[in-house]
Amino acid sequence: MKESKTDVLIIGAGVGGLCAAAKLITKGIKVIVAESLPYVGGRFSSRDCNGFQVTTGAIMVPYGETSIFNESFDDVGVKMRVREAKGGFQYKLQKGTYTVPDKGGLFGMINFALEDEEKAKEIANLFKHAMTWMMPSDAISFKEWLMQYTDNQDLHDLFQGYIGAFIGVNAYECPTAELFRFLRDGMTRFKFGVSIHGNADLMDSLAEGVTNKGVRLSTETYCKKIIVENYRAIGAIIEKNGVEETVYADHIISNVGPNMTVELSGEEHFERSYMTLLKERQSVTPVIHLAICAREPLHDFPGIICTGGTRRLVFMESPTMTCPELAPEGWHLSNTFSVPANTTGPLRLEETIEFVKQDILDFFPKFKEAEVLLQATHHREWPAMRRWPGFPMPTKTPVENLYNVGDGCMPRGFVGIEAAAMSSKDVVEDILIRG
Amino acid sequence: MKTSKANVLIIGSGVGGICSAARLIKKGLKVTIVEQLPYLGGRCSTREYKGHKTTTGGIILPLGGGSTFQEAFDMLGAEFNMRPIGGKDKGGTLYRLPDRTYEMTPKNGLRGLLQFCLNDDEAGNELYSHFKRALHWSEPLYNITFSEWLSQYSHNTDLHEIFQGHVGGFVGVNIDECPAGEFFRNLKLSARTYGFGTAVNGNIDLMNSLAAAIKNKGGRISTETSCKQILVENGIVKGAIVEKDGEEETINADFVISNAGPDLTVELAGTENFEKSYMTLLTEHNFKTPVVHISMSTDEPIEDFPGIVTFGHTRRLVFLETPSVTCPELVPEGKHITTTYSVPKLSAGPLKLPETIEMVMLDLRDFYPNFQEAELFHIATHHSGWPAMRRWPGYPMPTRTPVVNLYNVGDGCQPLGYVGIEACAITARDVSNEIAPD
């Protein structure tokens, strides 16, 4: 069998894997990345569908000076081809639309729902109190938290849409602290943009950046087994085109999700408290994604629209509003997301899609003339996020020198791409400290 | 009604309260402490019986450069009359099984303890590698108990029994009740940065020394003063109504620190001011850790080891100490005092006091054949409102409350990995630094 040696072996070239590769290689650490798919980026990539660049999962790209994701591009000297989504955020209820201004957005959206300035101030103050004085505990859901102060249906609907769109679960499922952490930390530290030529282009350029710096990156390369000796990871067996290779490494970073990491290494090496945690909150967050193409744009807002009081629809965004490059000339592309009524229950795909289509028609009547280009379900092994918000796995595993990165290990208060990038940064820092 | 003003009002003069006062006075704030009992220190104080001084709760006190407790004394230049237990190269800890003993020293440490329990150097080394990984690589989590964690690697009963004693003695619950993560945090953090000692003239002497320094700097300390109500307006704390000798007084304050325990704080401030997620947390893991503490007087020391003795294979006894060996000042000449601790079979269950006392005596006779009778002069049950610790290890309440500027300190808010006096002193440090940042 072929054999090779490296400092760090990274399994999976998603956001977590590639960001880790970028950070390690700039510190002069030898890195090999093995990706089983023919392309890099995982759920942060895009496919060409009849000339439209459609995402494989993620939509809004975090970027800017304080974004950890952006930092990895900087590390390897690659420019991020993103354009700022100028419009910001909009909230739609049956009764109307609220566009978030530069300042006072939280009060504005609460007041939009309540239509009562006094009460809105009171509720906005409670949010402020939660974020600046005392974070509520995770013992109750956000829905329960809000019910203490108001049962106004519009306000509950609005936050149901908001939490579904940004955190990926329903308001009654979201630990209340997680929403406040997200509002305080997760939403404020970076800008959102749209990748000009699709997410695949962004990740390809990051892959090129790390390869140029000397990372050995190999696609269509499966990991068959992580080799553990005496509770310590020492390498892995990978396979490409039927040829097996043993890669010995001082550290292994897995970007294939905590469950698969255990499977590849063998459950017997993982002590019970870790396995209990892994199984206890074993819910991924599922979403259903509809990509819609149309001659006439469905709406004229160049940002993110959250919808409340719907059957299932929570999120609508039209990337071609910011980047017409993503569609053939004269066409427009929109993405919608919806969250099942119970994210741990069965998906009920047909029912959900039927509901979503009715929702889209209600809010965006031009949908009548549009076409569904693609419908994707993100669940199980290809979920919106590998763990529920608020219940991440730690990046360290009980197996020495074996780490996980990616959205199975999102730091609290963060989701998606930025969270995956942050998990990599933590792991790389730990590796550097440990030498 | 009488009224007065302070920057900070502290309710309760336990370790958390009095250390907060010391730190805030040092920072130049005007501080008032009210204590409902006639003496200071709460569960870190002293009771006297025919010239014997024994503790009201806390026994092994932290000392040394890394101790947050001692730091509070040093900040005000208060005398800290403590004597370290054990010698320089001694760990001060002895482990007893019915047929053999092991003295832990910094040299042979944990690895030696495991080898001793398993009676097999090789097996001890292997188990030690699991402990080492848990301490230095990946900490076990809170979802299993330490007993479950240990069972993954060994079913040796001597080992489980010794750790039952150790966890009972140092963490305050049974081995099958202690979250695995908490055991390892405790092992890693507690006792790593500080040493242990005995207060030469009893705990009350320490508390009075710190109180004198506080008063000297202008702090007001009022004993036999109970808090009737914490005043809250629009979600912000405003002060409290206190009562001494039937006379009420309103003390207005910018900050209120409660050392009366999180439950009582809520009761005094009114549950309506505490939102649901806090109340859920408060009621969900609302177990106090109970212990039964027996102080006894003998002519000869039952145990002449000058430190902590932890037992395995007992009915109830987990831990004893003979403070008079280190500090003869605590007893009349020719006498010795022994303090035993025991943990109920089920920390969350009934206490069964007479049964516990009887079993502790049987345990003592098993381990010390010469021991027949002693004068039991202080039998204290630490539970309900006067527990060993106000929350189970691993389940602290936060120091902040939903009421703005109202804090809790003390062992209801023990930081993870710490217990007892040092934990209380840490909550005091954190809250003081928050109220008056440097």
Side-chain angles (χ1 to χ4, degrees):
Chain A
M1 207 195 296
K2 248 172 83 176
E3 279 191 9
S4 58
K5 240 195 109 13
T6 183
D7 295 331
V8 180
L9 170 66
I10 298 175
I11 303 162
V15 169
L18 281 187
C19 286
K23 299 212 157 293
L24 288 165
I25 199 72
T26 50
K27 297 282 178 193
I29 291 166
K30 228 175 118 184
V31 182
I32 293 178
V33 182
E35 166 59 55
S36 67
L37 294 172
Y39 61 88
V40 298
R43 284 163 289 148
F44 185 57
S45 186
S46 49
R47 274 170 280 199
D48 187 298
C49 289
N50 306 330
F52 294 87
Q53 302 307 315
V54 183
T55 178
T56 55
I59 294 266
M60 301 307 285
V61 184
Y63 78 106
E65 273 173 27
T66 48
S67 158
I68 306 293
F69 181 54
N70 202 145
E71 205 177 273
S72 292
F73 286 76
D74 296 344
D75 284 339
V76 292
V78 175
K79 208 172 163 326
M80 279 180 85
R81 286 187 283 268
V82 287
R83 203 172 284 152
E84 186 178 357
K86 283 243 160 53
F89 302 96
Q90 204 172 63
Y91 300 97
K92 273 187 190 294
L93 295 171
Q94 298 290 352
K95 69 180 183 189
T97 301
Y98 175 72
T99 306
V100 177
D102 287 344
K103 269 193 174 163
L106 187 62
F107 167 76
M109 73 191 253
I110 296 169
N111 193 33
F112 161 67
L114 294 177
E115 296 179 71
D116 175 345
E117 221 164 284
E118 197 93 333
K119 185 75 184 166
K121 261 187 204 153
E122 188 195 316
I123 304 273
N125 272 336
L126 291 164
F127 274 74
K128 207 177 123 196
H129 178 270
M131 287 188 273
T132 57
W133 168 255
M134 179 80 187
M135 185 69 76
S137 79
D138 282 321
I140 62 173
S141 71
F142 175 72
K143 174 101 180 163
E144 278 181 273
W145 182 86
L146 192 58
M147 280 302 281
Q148 296 179 92
Y149 309 112
T150 176
D151 57 4
N152 179 288
Q153 192 59 44
D154 281 343
L155 191 64
H156 279 270
D157 285 347
L158 193 145
F159 276 103
Q160 161 67 14
Y162 183 93
I163 292 170
F166 293 109
I167 305 188
V169 291
N170 295 291
Y172 75 86
E173 297 170 323
C174 180
T176 184
E178 199 55 20
L179 173 76
F180 290 110
R181 286 205 185 90
F182 180 75
L183 282 170
R184 189 186 63 185
D185 308 328
M187 278 299 273
T188 50
R189 54 183 267 189
F190 42 79
K191 290 190 272 192
F192 279 119
V194 179
S195 45
I196 299 172
H197 305 289
N199 296 342
D201 168 68
L202 266 188
M203 291 310 271
D204 284 345
S205 70
L206 183 58
E208 202 186 313
V210 300
T211 311
N212 285 342
K213 293 271 177 194
V215 169
R216 182 186 143 197
L217 168 64
S218 174
T219 54
E220 291 178 89
T221 305
Y222 297 85
C223 177
K224 314 279 284 185
K225 188 183 161 118
I226 294 171
I227 307 166
V228 179
E229 254 182 38
N230 222 346
Y231 302 95
R232 181 188 290 261
I234 57 164
I237 299 171
I238 59 175
E239 184 192 306
K240 180 168 184 150
N241 301 329
V243 182
E244 287 197 354
E245 178 183 348
T246 306
V247 182
Y248 291 101
D250 297 334
H251 304 272
I252 295 185
I253 297 176
S254 167
N255 190 206
V256 296
N259 296 57
M260 183 69 108
T261 306
V262 169
E263 210 175 290
L264 289 171
S265 311
E267 196 177 320
E268 67 278 15
H269 305 295
F270 293 78
E271 59 93 27
R272 193 188 287 174
S273 75
Y274 186 86
M275 291 308 296
T276 306
L277 188 71
L278 191 70
K279 287 170 182 163
E280 253 177 12
R281 294 281 179 173
Q282 178 62 295
S283 335
V284 300
T285 65
V287 300
I288 289 157
H289 166 209
L290 257 56
I292 299 159
C293 61
R295 283 283 185 187
E296 282 283 304
L298 298 188
H299 59 88
D300 58 5
F301 183 70
I304 294 169
I305 304 169
C306 288
T307 53
T310 58
R311 299 166 188 83
R312 292 289 181 276
L313 179 72
V314 294
F315 178 99
M316 154 72 85
E317 191 247 2
S318 302
T320 44
M321 208 78 83
T322 310
C323 302
E325 293 90 337
L326 296 169
E329 217 177 311
W331 285 88
H332 297 271
L333 175 65
S334 296
N335 291 305
T336 66
F337 282 107
S338 53
V339 175
N342 175 351
T343 60
T344 57
L347 208 55
R348 299 187 194 194
L349 189 61
E350 277 172 31
E351 177 192 295
T352 305
I353 289 179
E354 198 46 49
F355 281 152
V356 172
K357 286 182 175 169
Q358 289 175 30
D359 287 333
I360 302 174
L361 269 181
D362 284 355
F363 281 101
F364 309 97
K366 284 183 189 154
F367 180 53
K368 265 200 294 267
E369 284 95 52
E371 233 177 280
V372 174
L373 186 62
L374 176 144
Q375 61 191 44
T377 54
H378 294 274
H379 66 139
R380 302 206 183 101
E381 286 312 305
W382 198 264
M385 281 165 287
R386 290 205 189 276
R387 303 278 299 184
W388 260 29
F391 298 99
M393 291 300 290
T395 51
K396 277 189 180 178
T397 70
V399 173
E400 229 168 305
N401 300 338
L402 175 62
Y403 297 89
N404 281 304
V405 293
D407 60 6
C409 310
M410 300 185 290
R412 310 210 50 186
F414 292 87
V415 294
I417 314 284
E418 187 68 9
M422 288 168 85
S423 71
S424 298
K425 188 173 183 173
D426 289 349
V427 166
V428 170
E429 274 168 9
D430 198 65
I431 288 177
L432 293 175
I433 289 168
R434 291 167 53 82
Chain B
M1 204 194 300
K2 241 172 88 178
T3 62
S4 64
K5 243 192 102 34
N7 296 128
V8 185
L9 169 65
I10 299 171
I11 301 162
S13 71
V15 172
I18 209 155
C19 288
S20 302
R23 288 170 179 277
L24 291 164
I25 281 271
K26 176 75 185 173
K27 287 165 184 278
L29 271 70
K30 203 176 155 208
V31 178
T32 296
I33 306 182
V34 293
E35 166 60 56
Q36 65 169 345
L37 296 173
Y39 60 88
L40 303 175
R43 283 165 290 147
C44 181
S45 197
T46 304
R47 270 180 234 278
E48 282 205 52
Y49 170 83
K50 290 188 192 166
H52 299 67
K53 290 179 179 142
T54 193
T55 176
T56 54
I59 180 137
I60 308 294
L61 274 50
L63 58 77
S67 159
T68 311
F69 180 55
Q70 182 171 340
E71 195 181 58
F73 287 74
D74 294 346
M75 283 173 86
L76 291 188
E79 197 190 353
F80 190 64
N81 194 3
M82 290 261 281
R83 203 167 289 156
I85 55 171
K88 223 182 181 177
D89 55 347
K90 304 217 174 196
T93 326
L94 191 74
Y95 291 87
R96 277 194 186 279
L97 286 171
D99 58 342
R100 57 194 198 276
T101 62
Y102 172 77
E103 187 182 344
M104 197 184 249
T105 69
K107 247 187 186 166
N108 58 11
L110 179 64
R111 182 200 297 265
L113 178 62
L114 300 176
Q115 288 171 335
F116 159 77
C117 292
L118 297 175
N119 228 341
D120 177 337
D121 285 1
E122 194 127 317
N125 277 338
E126 201 196 312
L127 182 58
Y128 180 63
S129 74
H130 294 296
F131 273 76
K132 228 173 75 180
R133 197 170 327 103
L135 288 169
H136 302 302
W137 166 252
S138 169
E139 194 171 86
L141 305 162
Y142 281 75
N143 51 19
I144 62 169
T145 65
F146 177 63
S147 160
E148 282 179 90
W149 184 88
L150 199 57
S151 295
Q152 298 180 90
Y153 308 111
S154 175
H155 291 287
N156 181 295
T157 50
D158 285 347
L159 176 76
H160 279 260
E161 285 288 336
I162 276 289
F163 277 102
Q164 160 63 17
H166 177 95
V167 175
F170 289 92
V171 190
V173 289
N174 293 291
I175 185 172
D176 55 1
E177 296 171 327
C178 178
E182 191 57 18
F183 171 82
F184 284 103
R185 279 193 188 211
N186 186 279
L187 204 57
K188 190 151 71 176
L189 300 173
S190 291
R192 276 287 158 111
T193 45
Y194 51 86
F196 286 117
T198 304
V200 175
N201 294 308
N203 297 344
I204 185 69
D205 170 59
L206 285 184
M207 292 300 153
N208 285 340
S209 153
L210 193 54
I214 290 166
K215 282 185 189 158
N216 203 17
K217 292 257 178 201
R220 177 184 159 202
I221 301 177
S222 178
T223 53
E224 291 178 87
T225 307
S226 55
C227 177
K228 313 289 284 182
Q229 192 193 343
I230 294 173
L231 302 170
V232 180
E233 259 174 48
N234 290 327
I236 303 169
V237 81
K238 293 290 168 196
I241 299 172
V242 302
E243 185 191 306
K244 182 172 182 143
D245 303 328
E247 198 186 331
E248 289 199 350
E249 175 183 349
T250 303
I251 303 177
N252 296 308
D254 302 325
F255 299 92
V256 173
I257 298 177
S258 167
N259 190 204
D263 297 272
L264 193 47
T265 306
V266 168
E267 211 175 288
L268 289 170
T271 44
E272 68 280 10
N273 291 305
F274 295 80
E275 58 92 27
K276 194 178 186 180
S277 77
Y278 186 86
M279 292 307 293
T280 307
L281 194 67
L282 189 69
T283 42
E284 250 178 13
H285 272 283
N286 201 356
F287 301 114
K288 325 278 185 249
T289 65
V291 299
V292 175
H293 154 205
I294 305 171
S295 295
M296 51 194 95
S297 167
T298 51
D299 293 339
E300 290 296 320
I302 299 174
E303 165 71 62
D304 53 15
F305 180 75
I308 302 159
V309 184
T310 301
F311 296 86
H313 288 294
T314 57
R315 298 168 185 83
R316 288 289 182 281
L317 176 68
V318 293
F319 165 118
L320 74 70
E321 203 228 6
T322 315
S324 53
V325 175
T326 311
C327 299
E329 292 88 339
L330 296 170
V331 284
E333 223 178 303
K335 288 284 180 190
H336 277 281
I337 182 171
T338 298
T339 306
T340 67
Y341 282 92
S342 50
V343 178
K345 201 124 211 105
L346 181 67
S347 294
L351 204 57
K352 302 194 183 172
L353 187 61
E355 180 191 299
T356 304
I357 297 171
E358 196 176 316
M359 289 193 173
V360 170
M361 290 304 132
L362 290 171
D363 287 332
L364 284 174
R365 282 175 203 131
D366 282 352
F367 276 88
Y368 304 100
N370 294 333
F371 170 74
Q372 286 309 321
E373 284 305 319
E375 193 175 352
L376 310 188
F377 67 88
H378 178 60
I379 297 165
T381 56
H382 294 274
H383 66 129
S384 311
W386 195 263
M389 281 165 287
R390 290 206 187 277
R391 304 275 301 181
W392 263 31
Y395 297 99
M397 290 301 289
T399 49
R400 280 194 187 182
T401 70
V403 175
V404 177
N405 298 342
L406 174 62
Y407 294 89
N408 280 304
V409 291
D411 59 7
C413 311
Q414 299 182 114
L416 295 182
Y418 290 93
V419 293
I421 314 266
E422 183 68 9
C424 294
I426 291 173
T427 63
R429 178 196 65 194
D430 293 350
V431 167
S432 315
N433 287 345
E434 215 180 282
I435 289 177
D438 289 322

